[in-house]
Amino acid sequence: MMPEKRIALVWFKTNLRLRDNECLFNAVAENDVVIPFYCLDDYLFQTTKPGLA
């Protein structure tokens, strides 16, 4: 029987920083596999009143 792998899902919200991300650092240190997850929000692409995207 093969040993079970420890798998972590790291859910990124708006902070995609990798260098100093404590959650990501801990997931990598404590698990065999890390699955990064980011759900792109359409809200980020809406035009504001001043015309900025």
Side-chain angles (χ1 to χ4, degrees):
M1 189 162 104
M2 294 180 61
E4 292 185 19
K5 287 189 176 185
R6 294 174 56 138
I7 301 172
L9 175 66
V10 177
W11 188 326
F12 291 94
K13 292 184 179 181
T14 55
N15 180 3
L16 296 176
R17 291 171 24 195
L18 301 177
R19 177 166 283 186
D20 60 349
N21 189 316
E22 185 177 355
C23 181
L24 180 61
F25 178 82
N26 290 335
V28 169
E30 298 173 8
N31 296 280
D32 301 309
V33 177
V34 176
I35 302 169
F37 177 81
Y38 178 73
C39 189
L40 190 61
D41 190 350
D42 289 338
Y43 174 78
L44 298 172
F45 296 101
Q46 292 180 357
T47 303
T48 61
K49 287 186 180 181
L52 302 173

